[in-house]
Amino acid sequence: MLELLLTVVLAAPGAALDDSEPVQVMPNVVVISADTLRADHLGMYGHPYDTSPHLDAWAKNALVFDDMICEVPLTSPSFCSMFSSRYPRTTGAIRNGLRLPDEIPTAAQVFQAAGYHTVAVQSNWTLKSELSGLDRGFDIYDDGFHKKRWGFIKSERGANEVRRIALELLEEWDRAKPLFGWFHFSDPHAPYKLHRKFDVAKPSKRDGKPGGKMRRKYDSEIAFMDSRIKAVMD
């Protein structure tokens, strides 16, 4: 499983308007992550279909790390490592459903202790608070979704709902505090659904057949998510 991880710094230290000492403005930090997103299905890495126009445009002016390695190819253990700076073998979270131990501090707790307003919107069942323990340090950790991906197991929420809740939380945010936010999108995860308005790999008379029904659905999931990520970033 590959994850796309975007870290957006929205502000920088400011300067005073007079001869007094510069005023330090704590930067707002937002982490946007995407589940099971293949790098080779993004335009910035040469994919022939227009799956990620907004992410591609953002990347042109961003600092992009091409050489990144996931510690473990599972959602919850991977984020447990990212948010604790520890290997899975030291966190004990080596598979989905195993919690990050309470005694291990998280990045969210560090931000919270520094005076940040901390919010998260989750969309994957493995990241629910009772299963992952990653809610520690978040003032709001929204994981109240129940729709089942496979009809009866493994709940998730789609990009429309992630976008809606994220925008609501951003509207309610008291700007007196800097923000640390984490918004996780799960749409490119199987089973894939075809979003007809984002069917970027649809065959045409000019270019013939696309790369297969499954890949066509997958590409539409990415394009749909890309538009929703743009709304949150805007």
Side-chain angles (χ1 to χ4, degrees), residues 8-140:
V8 186
V9 180
L10 300 174
L17 298 179
D18 51 31
D19 294 331
S20 61
E21 289 295 318
V23 177
Q24 290 300 114
V25 179
M26 299 292 283
N28 302 311
V29 178
V30 176
V31 175
I32 298 176
S33 50
D35 222 290
T36 57
L37 177 59
R38 293 176 59 102
D40 61 356
H41 277 249
L42 298 175
M44 67 183 82
Y45 290 107
H47 191 52
Y49 300 113
D50 195 21
T51 54
S52 51
H54 305 301
L55 289 175
D56 297 342
W58 175 82
K60 288 180 180 179
N61 296 312
L63 180 62
V64 178
F65 295 90
D66 292 318
D67 187 11
M68 298 189 70
I69 299 173
C70 176
E71 285 301 331
V72 56
L74 293 167
T75 300
S76 181
S78 184
F79 281 112
C80 285
S81 288
M82 281 190 273
F83 276 77
S84 69
S85 294
R86 301 194 185 196
Y87 293 109
R89 63 178 180 272
T90 64
T91 66
I94 57 175
R95 62 174 174 80
N96 289 324
L98 293 180
R99 286 173 55 88
L100 182 70
D102 290 343
E103 63 271 17
I104 296 179
T106 69
Q109 288 177 303
V110 175
F111 278 103
Q112 189 179 56
Y116 275 71
H117 178 59
T118 54
V119 299
V121 182
Q122 298 300 0
S123 60
N124 186 293
W125 69 275
T126 67
L127 299 175
K128 281 182 172 286
S129 57
E130 67 270 18
L131 294 176
S132 68
L134 288 170
D135 59 314
R136 287 185 289 112
F138 284 101
D139 300 317
I140 300 173

Side-chain angles (χ1 to χ4, degrees), residues 121 128 204 219 225:
V121 182
K128 281 182 172 286
S204 67
D219 281 351
M225 180 186 67

Side-chain angles (χ1 to χ4, degrees), residues 133-233:
L134 288 170
D135 59 314
R136 287 185 289 112
F138 284 101
D139 300 317
I140 300 173
Y141 191 87
D142 193 304
D143 61 354
F145 52 93
H146 308 286
K147 182 179 179 181
K148 304 301 183 182
R149 175 185 299 140
W150 299 97
F152 60 97
I153 59 172
K154 298 182 178 179
S155 57
E156 67 173 11
R157 68 164 37 125
N160 274 338
E161 191 176 356
V162 174
R163 175 193 61 175
R164 176 182 63 80
I165 298 172
L167 294 181
E168 288 175 359
L169 293 178
L170 292 173
E171 286 293 331
E172 296 167 1
W173 160 40
D174 179 2
R175 265 51 173 194
K177 281 188 172 184
L179 176 75
F180 175 66
W182 176 21
F183 307 123
H184 184 68
F185 292 82
S186 290
D187 300 78
H189 198 296
Y192 309 125
K193 179 173 70 174
L194 181 65
H195 298 269
R196 296 196 177 277
K197 290 184 177 180
F198 296 90
D199 189 6
V200 295
K202 183 178 181 179
S204 67
K205 293 181 180 180
R206 180 177 57 83
D207 57 14
K209 296 181 179 180
K213 185 176 181 181
M214 192 71 71
R215 290 175 180 267
R216 180 178 166 188
K217 289 182 177 180
Y218 181 71
D219 281 351
S220 80
E221 293 271 36
I222 297 172
F224 169 69
M225 180 186 67
D226 176 76
S227 69
R228 274 48 183 175
I229 288 177
K230 179 183 184 297
V232 175
M233 293 178 70

